Amino acid sequence: MEEWNLSGINAGIIFGAFQAGYLIAIIPAGVFVDRYSPRWIIAIGATTTGVAGLDFAIMATGFCHRPQ
């Protein structure tokens, strides 16, 4: 929050977006677990979440980037 000068609302929006993405992803994951090995689904989900988290940490420069 300090590095990006975020308000509590902005930090909450970022965290809420992550949680919303999880909720959206869990529905198809449940369907795939019924059809395929749960170990593979968990591994793919964890890898995807990890890559997305690292991408966010590397690429993000603030709450809302506005090109000048």
Side-chain angles (χ1 to χ4, degrees):
M1 286 178 64
E2 291 177 15
E3 185 174 332
W4 287 356
N5 197 23
L6 292 178
S7 68
I9 292 172
N10 289 347
I13 290 171
I14 293 171
F15 183 69
F18 176 81
Q19 294 300 317
Y22 172 78
L23 288 173
I24 291 169
I26 202 69
I27 294 169
V31 172
F32 288 133
V33 166
D34 288 340
R35 296 182 181 176
Y36 305 104
S37 170
R39 290 182 183 190
W40 280 106
I41 302 305
I42 291 170
I44 291 168
T47 301
T48 302
T49 301
V51 169
L54 286 173
D55 185 44
F56 179 80
I58 292 168
M59 303 291 285
T61 58
F63 180 73
C64 184
H65 178 70
R66 294 185 181 118
Q68 296 179 357

